[in-house]
Amino acid sequence: MMKEKSISASKASLVFFLCQMISALDVPLDSKLLEELSQPPTITQQSPKDYIVDPRENIVIQCEAKGKPPPSFSWTRNGTHFDIDKDAQVTMKPNSGTLVVNIMNGVKAEAYEGVYQCTARNERGAAISNNIVIRPSRSPLWTKEKLEPNHVREGDSLVLNCRPPVGLPPPIIFWMDNAFQRLPQSERVSQGLNGDLYFSNVQPEDTREDYICYARFNHTQTIQQKQPISVKVFSMDSLNDTIAANLSDTDIYGAKPVTERPPVLLTPTGSTSNKVELRGNVLLLECIAAGLPTPVIRWIKEGGELPANRTFFENFKKTLKIIDVSEADSGNYKCTARNTLGSTHHVISVTVKAAPYWITAPRNLVLSPGEDGTLICRANGNPKPSISWLTNGVPIAIAPEDPSRKVDGDTIIFSAVQERSSAVYQCNASNEYGYLLANAFVNVLAEPPRILTPANKLYQVIADSPALIDCAYFGSPKPEIEWFRGVKGSILRGNEYVFHDNGTLEIPVAQKDSTGTYTCVARNKLGKTQNEVQLEVKDPTMIIKQPQYKVIQRSAQASFECVIKHDPTLIPTVIWLKDNNELPDDERFLVGKDNLTIMNVTDKDDGTYTCIVNTTLDSVSASAVLTVVAAPPTPAIIYARPNPPLDLELTGQLERSIELSWVPGEENNSPITNFVIEYEDGLHEPGVWHYQTEVPGSQTTVQLKLSPYVNYSFRVIAVNEIGRSQPSEPSEQYLTKSANPDENPSNVQGIGSEPDNLVITWESLKGFQSNGPGLQYKVSWRQKDVDDEWTSVVVANVSKYIVSGTPTFVPYEIKVQALNDLGYAPEPSEVIGHSGEDLPMVAPGNVQVHVINSTLAKVHWDPVPLKSVRGHLQGYKVYYWKVQSLSRRSKRHVEKKILTFRGNKTFGMLPGLEPYSSYKLNVRVVNGKGEGPASPDKVFKTPEGVPSPPSFLKITNPTLDSLTLEWGSPTHPNGVLTSYILKFQPINNTHELGPLVEIRIPANESSLILKNLNYSTRYKFYFNAQTSVGSGSQITEEAVTIMDEGKMVQPLYPRIRNVTTAAAETYANISWEYEGPDHANFYVEYGVAGSKEDWKKEIVNGSRSFFVLKGLTPGTAYKVRVGAEGLSGFRSSEDLFETGPAMASRQVDIATQGWFIGLMCAVALLILILLIVCFIRRNKGGKYPVKEKEDAHADPEIQPMKEDDGTFGEYRSMSAWTGKKMDKEKKRKGSCASSSEADPVFTKAKSVRSDRSNFFKRSGDQYSNIRSETSYTRRKARQSSELRRASSVSASLCQEEKKSDKWIYRHGSRRHASEQQIMGLDEGSNSQAGHPPPFHQPLSCNSVRGSLARQHSSLPHRFSQTPDYSSDSEDTQSSNHRK
């Protein structure tokens, strides 16, 4: 007894001593600071204790450590020094202790089996790793054995033994057949934990010769196969037939039928067995039984319950699995096998032992000279582990003496340390099931104060919210922190400020007058330093006019207002949501500056609309509901709510129940569906009615359950489809007797509001739940995982109790029990709570940034120790901001962006960066209290990107053969401009593009004169800038050289130019510039670039100059052009764009499906056959009604030409001799057409002339008076040249015709074009390319030659007249020449 008293007294004195000691310093994770401070070694990475390696690969034994100066490394093997230099197969990585054993040179891995230990040493101490046991994995072959076939009678049990080879680690067993299909398993047939296959009873379908057991060795990725096992099941019917065939009729024969049998355990054997499992492991217990019918297995724990949430049943309930076992799971587990004939059971006695586990692991100490400190090493296990100490890897008993050190069991006490006291201490906790080894250093430093917070750091907060101003510091001894307002102001004191231990100054309620400079001063006996920071307090953002509730009829218009007021230095963004989601992609939703308007409201628009206003510092929102209703219906039968029930009566009064009856009221044309019963507690809540129950409308009585100590009154409400009736008159009152509480408070929680308290809250019982007078609560708590007794207190009329003086963020077991004057409620369940959180102490370290491309970067950081979080880890915040653009060297207002990464994530992506810019970032850990200190700012730069388009392109000073181009540099160069790329090409009147010319221009130029251009020619220009990365987007412009000196060619009206596109993933915005008459109706044509498919056409509503193409395919290049309705062939030039890449999807492209390709091939083949048939029918001959055409359209050569009718007077689409020739052909071959309207030549020529006439009339009179003799001469020369070329073409065509009849099909379109030239078709007749005359017959070679001769002879007659060129511009003439 005296011994126990002395021990307790010594412990009490030790606790008192520890309470008097100065707390150890924390070293901030500042990279610059850590580089300057000396630090003993710390093991940062090592291989696992039991390390199984692949014998086919090199062995890598990891050992990494940090320290200042950098540590050196050494190894022991099997307890003795391992000289690496003497083994040529072993190397150590540079600046590391990791060993690499090369076994590729024929060395076996078994030669390096053993126990390895790494030591990292510098001048301040030595840290050691765990004992690393190296063993190569083994996957031996199956031993050869002769397997006899298994002959089994139907209904008997059977066990097929697997007996896999012993491997390292043990293999995974499974059964398959010869086809590598897993054998089906069920309650009757299943695999045991040892790999054997158990049959509770065999059936005839079990007969097969390929039961194969496989062993998979995961470490070496190999699978071993056992020889197939044959099973033959004899059924009773077949056995009787066999016996009958071998016995005479006089013999008595016949096997017994299949008999049912009670269960018998196949495994485990006997009635009891024992099992030992380690704490934290998975406990697996197995029972497999034989019997017919197949037995069912049930599990129980004798004297207790199976642990909830950790218990699982596997293998058809034959295996009991309990995860994360603890000592509480020890006990007897009973499995029972049962079928219709009986049962059997087996009891497994489970004992849970425990390898050592930490209660308090030793932590690093940073002390200043003369300070005191402690290292505590506490572990638990079963059996209790022993604690031993080492210093610098040497048992402390034989280590050099240190007068400042005293060992007391699991604690080392340091008093008045000096710099020579620095060392690394190892704590070893071990028992028969394992060990724990932890390194903790004692580092004695003498350092003057340092402030780590950046100077003049700007903090911005919203008025009336807390302001936290950091002053991260370090020094040894620990500095004292003081705050001053201004540079030379007075020291800050008083309740309006909160001073945190980490140096942070908190202003709980910041006001506008809190704006200013704050100075932090840190001092210790070695020096003093200070730092100034700035605080700005902004006005809060407010919604001064909120959206209001709306009831709108269908097809009407709804409008919500959201007028805001904000600090002028903050930029707000307004977002509208519908039902907490984005607004529908619908043109009916119009978002204005201060409102949201919904046009043509539909039922789908019904919902809640929220206006959210965000700034960089705050966010506010307001919501309103939109209800869409139909127009009032036609008056019909009046349906109404029912009348209230009558005559309520209470009968059968008991302590806990009573019967209520009533008489229904009038239904009012709608049947009563149900009755709702409510009650009033006149004792506790008079005048408040509560829901009790409800019954169907056909029921008028109900048995009600009652609670003690309640003065009940009841009322009934009738309900039909229209609604609820008024409540009935209350029933008479009924007071129940008092009793103990039946239940305890719910929603018990323990959450600290301050770092040193625990706030226990609960939901109080309602008055009727008290069951009696004097309701109180017994609140109990104790620290978890510590052998403390429960502390209790009884309170009343509250739902909260605060426990003060708790450690920061420690788990507690909590329970709250109700009691009244009659006694206690049942024992409550325990909940786990935590004492208050504090701000994290440590910033994330080793922040690294990997720039992926010019707009995206990836940031990595090391997670902070969980103990330094001092709260629930919520995640990490990355603050990043642009410092400057590297191309302009101009700083701007820093707008910090924040990304939050939830959980213990250690990396994240930074999107939306600007190319060729310098950025800074830092990382902070976040808990429930707030953010921890920021990591040091990390600077990174983004590479160059492609530039934006040039800001403008102007074309001035047109001459006969030159144009002057002027441009502005890109708004966002995104790098160093290397050059500009200019591409241009001529355009004719039909918007066909000529050859493309490309010019590279130096980046320092801003204008260019293009010379040697064609006169009176329109050009299209494409202009873009270029960096070293590539070319940016281009801008386009068109211009025309003048046709004569001093005369400016007016723009060709109407025209469409500068078609631009902005493409997204599935849509593109198309815009253009239009010059011409008002009220033009535009259309947009588009198609896949490079495809021969027809253009798709979309009509533009109104005369807008923009359009949105929807339903595009992601990642596809498209071509687009814009045209105007009513103007044949009037379109813009083509533009190309590409949609954005598609998101990851599992959709299948239909164009790659076999069925779709086959269908398209069949359609193409059918069209080809139809074309061949039509061609053959056409080649058989046809009559053309040319004579009628001639009569209706006289020869234009003998008609007088009009001077000012706006038509071409040059020559018509068909001459007289051509008509006569075709008339002869009609008589000879017959006709394919029935009327003159079917003749495509005349019809088309007439329409084209009319269109061209109208076109030039609209274009103005600038061309009507142009008449030149020079142009006339040139035209005559071109006509002669055209006929000569046509002659050569006809000769080549005739030669091709003789070679093969297939020429007609392949070159029909080309021959048609030649005939048009021969017959004198005007340029406009070919304006609708791709639509040749359907019944045009090819001319014969002789007729072509004759036609050419007559055409040539008629030239003098044609040009002897004075033609009218008033309707032909020079561009049109040159276009005819090209045609």
Side-chain angles (χ1 to χ4, degrees), residues 279-308:
R279 179 181 186 270
N281 287 355
V282 177
L283 174 64
L284 293 174
L285 304 179
E286 180 182 57
C287 277
I288 302 178
L292 188 66
T294 302
V296 177
I297 306 296
R298 295 289 183 269
W299 291 89
I300 63 170
K301 182 180 181 182
E302 294 182 345
E305 298 290 335
L306 294 174

Side-chain angles (χ1 to χ4, degrees), residues 609-785:
Y609 291 82
T610 304
C611 167
I612 301 177
V613 184
N614 294 315
T615 68
T616 55
L617 297 180
D618 62 347
S619 176
V620 292
S621 64
S623 299
V625 175
L626 172 63
T627 301
V628 181
V629 297
T634 304
I637 301 174
I638 298 177
Y639 298 94
R641 301 177 181 180
N643 293 343
L646 308 170
D647 299 335
L648 272 65
E649 184 179 1
L650 296 176
T651 57
Q653 290 89 344
L654 300 174
E655 290 186 1
R656 294 292 183 104
S657 67
I658 198 169
E659 186 175 278
L660 172 67
S661 59
W662 63 90
V663 175
E666 181 63 37
E667 293 182 345
N668 295 329
N669 298 319
S670 179
I672 296 175
T673 57
N674 56 296
F675 292 99
V676 177
I677 293 90
E678 296 180 343
Y679 72 91
E680 175 196 23
D681 182 2
L683 190 62
H684 302 98
E685 294 179 293
V688 179
W689 291 89
H690 301 276
Y691 173 85
Q692 172 85 10
T693 186
E694 59 183 272
V695 297
S698 59
Q699 187 174 330
T700 58
T701 61
V702 63
Q703 192 76 20
L704 302 175
K705 294 183 179 180
L706 307 179
S707 296
Y709 195 57
V710 177
N711 193 12
Y712 282 99
S713 291
F714 300 97
R715 70 182 186 184
V716 183
I717 300 172
V719 182
N720 63 11
E721 290 185 355
I722 308 304
R724 297 161 61 102
S725 72
Q726 291 294 322
S728 68
E729 291 295 325
S731 70
E732 59 180 311
Q733 292 186 337
Y734 177 63
L735 177 62
T736 56
K737 295 182 180 180
S738 302
N740 289 8
D742 293 327
E743 52 188 308
N744 287 300
S746 59
N747 196 22
V748 178
Q749 293 181 331
I751 303 174
S753 61
E754 297 295 336
D756 60 348
N757 73 6
L758 171 66
V759 180
I760 303 173
T761 61
W762 60 90
E763 288 186 9
S764 300
L765 299 181
K766 304 296 182 183
F768 73 91
Q769 293 175 311
S770 64
N771 287 5
L775 177 63
Q776 294 179 303
Y777 303 101
K778 180 183 178 183
V779 185
S780 304
W781 67 91
R782 69 177 178 186
Q783 189 172 337
K784 192 175 183 295
D785 296 330

Side-chain angles (χ1 to χ4, degrees), residues 465-467 485 490-499 505-511 513-514 518:
S465 63
R485 179 71 182 270
S490 59
I491 188 171
L492 297 182
R493 291 189 177 89
N495 296 329
E496 63 269 27
Y497 301 105
V498 178
F499 304 96
L505 170 65
E506 179 182 356
I507 306 175
V509 182
Q511 302 297 330
D513 57 5
S514 301
Y518 290 81

Side-chain angles (χ1 to χ4, degrees), residues 54 58 100 267 804 829 843 916:
D54 191 334
N58 288 343
V100 179
T267 182
S804 302
S829 58
Y916 206 52

Side-chain angles (χ1 to χ4, degrees), residues 561-577:
E561 288 187 298
C562 184
V563 181
I564 64 173
K565 178 182 179 183
H566 62 90
D567 191 285
T569 62
L570 299 178
I571 301 176
T573 58
V574 180
I575 301 172
W576 285 92
L577 302 178

